[in-house]
Amino acid sequence: MNASSRQKSGMKILVSVISILLGFVAGALLMLSSGANPLTGFSYLFQGGLKSVTRICNTIAYAVPLMLTGLSVTFAFKTGLFNIGAPGQMLIGGLLANVLALTVDLPRPLLLPLVITASIVGGMVWAAVPGFLKARFNVNEVVSCIMMNWVAYWVVYIIISDHFKSTTIDTESQVIPAAASLKTEAITLLTKGSNLNLGIFIAIIATALVIFILNRTVLGYEMKAVGFNRFAAEYGGINVQKNAVLAMVISGALSGLAGLTFYCGYLSNMRIGVMPSQGFDGIAVALLANCAPVGVVFAAIFFAILQTGKGFMNAMMPIPPEIADTIIATVIYFAATSKLIEMNLDRIKKFFGRKRPSKSEGSGEHVEHH
């Protein structure tokens, strides 16, 4: 990495840190307005996600789907597309995984890979539709992705309600068998009964693959070239339409895996009538990470701490849990306006970097004048 790249990376990290600090400032002002001590409130907020081994592992388990949806948004964004369809892709990936888990009777070594593959295929197929519409008819992917989200919502609602509904709770599916779950007894015992599961390894592998594809393959180079300037890429002989579809398909595969880790890992069934918030939160994760795959991992953990800790904060103090959501919203706002932060940082740097004449230089000029 050359000096210029290091400087850019340092600037991105600094912008993310400033965005987080500004978010906490907003949260502190809200706590003060409600008569609460911000330091105490933030203490309970972080204790809720990090107080014990079990809480830490639960936070990481919650962060895993956020990592994958953050990677999904990041991958699409790097290739010039905005995948806002992660919630729908999560739903379809989770649905196919659950359907197979509840209908196919196989031993764990065979069933688990089948379930993982089904979730990937589900996400890929669901994302391929906006990708094809974008490539073939130049339909805005944001509009088509939002429409596909709601189609997925009702597909899950109908299939679960008609065929896989729980016998005890009408709004939930049947619980998947242990053979199809990402939870393992060894990890559960080691983490003192937390929800941490094999999904963490899936997220790590997915992060490594995204970095490899984007930085070490011809396909990744072509996709990034299309993202920078599709007209220049097309002039250079790159098939823009094919790469648009492929980018959405790979992005959808990551969201499908997020559905797997959430519905077959963090949970053990699906809930109907609920759009998974992790799909939309993945956008925030990608923004805070400045669309850097490694940064996505840390940004996902940060958001998971806020989400898992807000309930504890609310239980310990008369502070509404929505304050944590306000902090997240403020962080997103400043992360989205990172260019403004960068511009102001550049101005500050230039102001303090101006060369001022030293005393020796001034005295020399005085002597020469006389």
Side-chain angles (χ1 to χ4, degrees), residues 78-101:
K78 288 279 189 182
T79 57
L81 298 169
F82 187 23
N83 181 16
I84 200 173
Q89 294 148 23
M90 273 187 71
L91 283 172
I92 297 301
L95 176 66
L96 290 188
N98 272 259
V99 167
L100 275 177

Side-chain angles (χ1 to χ4, degrees), residues 53-206:
V53 171
T54 303
R55 287 182 182 274
I56 291 171
C57 292
N58 280 335
T59 297
I60 295 173
Y62 187 89
V64 167
L66 291 176
M67 293 178 194
L68 290 164
T69 54
L71 287 172
S72 174
V73 175
T74 293
F75 192 90
F77 190 79
K78 288 279 189 182
T79 57
L81 298 169
F82 187 23
N83 181 16
I84 200 173
Q89 294 148 23
M90 273 187 71
L91 283 172
I92 297 301
L95 176 66
L96 290 188
N98 272 259
V99 167
L100 275 177
L102 293 169
T103 55
V104 177
D105 186 15
L106 288 173
R108 184 178 175 85
L110 295 177
L111 183 58
L112 198 54
L114 186 63
V115 166
I116 293 172
T117 303
S119 68
I120 294 172
V121 172
M124 291 172 70
V125 170
W126 217 250
V129 176
F132 172 77
L133 292 174
K134 175 72 174 181
R136 185 68 179 83
F137 304 106
N138 199 29
V139 175
N140 189 296
E141 70 273 14
V142 173
V143 176
S144 55
C145 280
I146 291 173
M147 293 180 70
M148 292 298 288
N149 284 343
W150 287 106
V151 174
Y153 174 93
W154 288 110
V155 167
V156 169
Y157 192 101
I158 292 168
I159 291 177
I160 296 296
S161 297
D162 291 351
H163 303 288
F164 300 99
K165 186 169 63 175
S166 170
T167 55
T168 55
I169 303 176
D170 289 342
T171 57
E172 293 185 358
S173 71
Q174 301 167 29
V175 175
I176 62 172
S181 175
L182 294 176
K183 294 177 181 176
T184 61
E185 188 176 355
I187 295 178
T188 302
L189 290 173
L190 188 65
T191 60
K192 301 181 179 180
S194 77
N195 290 321
L196 192 63
N197 54 75
L198 296 174
I200 183 63
F201 300 108
I202 293 175
I204 292 170
I205 293 170

